[in-house]
Amino acid sequence: MFKDILLVGVGSFVGGSLRMVISKYVQLAIAGSFPLGTMVVNVLGCFLIGIFASLPSDNGGISPAVRLLLTTGFCGGFTTFSTFMNENVGIIKGGDGLTTSALYVFASLALGFLAVLAGRQLVISLR
């Protein structure tokens, strides 16, 4: 368990650091207020987790430890959006269907948005 925590921690550190660099670079290179840097990171993270989650684990493929480092660690630190999207693919592939996946997407986005608003309102009301 401790080894897994270290693998995820190292991957998260690298992924989070790279997220900051890429996001800032893209945002500085493109004028405007649209958060293109974050969008680029999210889409790139989805692409990478698709690759990492699909790599074979048998006959010379990657070990479960390397998969954990790359998916939960690196991609999780790079962007949790990639994990969110990968989980949706898993829901569909697992047989739970498009309806369950759509419900997960909608509920996550709606509740996440409301939670951000609630957190902001809490801070404003405490001032």
Side-chain angles (χ1 to χ4, degrees):
M1 179 70 156
F2 186 69
K3 177 184 169 191
D4 290 347
I5 292 170
L6 286 176
L7 287 169
V8 170
V10 167
S12 293
F13 173 78
V14 173
S17 299
L18 191 58
R19 173 185 62 218
M20 185 203 66
V21 169
I22 291 173
S23 181
K24 294 287 183 190
Y25 175 77
V26 170
Q27 209 58 47
L28 289 172
I30 306 297
S33 61
F34 184 80
L36 186 62
T38 299
M39 190 171 97
V40 166
V41 165
N42 284 337
V43 172
L44 180 57
C46 288
F47 177 71
L48 292 174
I49 205 168
I51 291 171
F52 300 152
S54 300
L55 291 172
S57 57
D58 55 352
N59 298 328
I62 65 170
S63 70
V66 171
R67 187 178 314 280
L68 183 67
L69 171 84
L70 294 174
T71 58
T72 305
F74 177 79
C75 287
F78 191 59
T79 170
T80 57
F81 185 75
S82 60
T83 300
F84 172 60
M85 287 297 124
N86 194 46
E87 287 172 345
N88 274 286
V89 170
I91 287 170
I92 294 169
K93 286 176 67 177
D96 288 323
L98 189 58
T99 302
T100 302
S101 176
L103 177 62
Y104 179 45
V105 168
F106 177 75
S108 295
L109 293 175
L111 293 172
F113 183 73
L114 291 173
V116 169
L117 291 175
R120 292 172 63 93
Q121 190 60 43
L122 177 65
V123 170
I124 289 168
S125 70
L126 293 175
R127 286 187 188 165

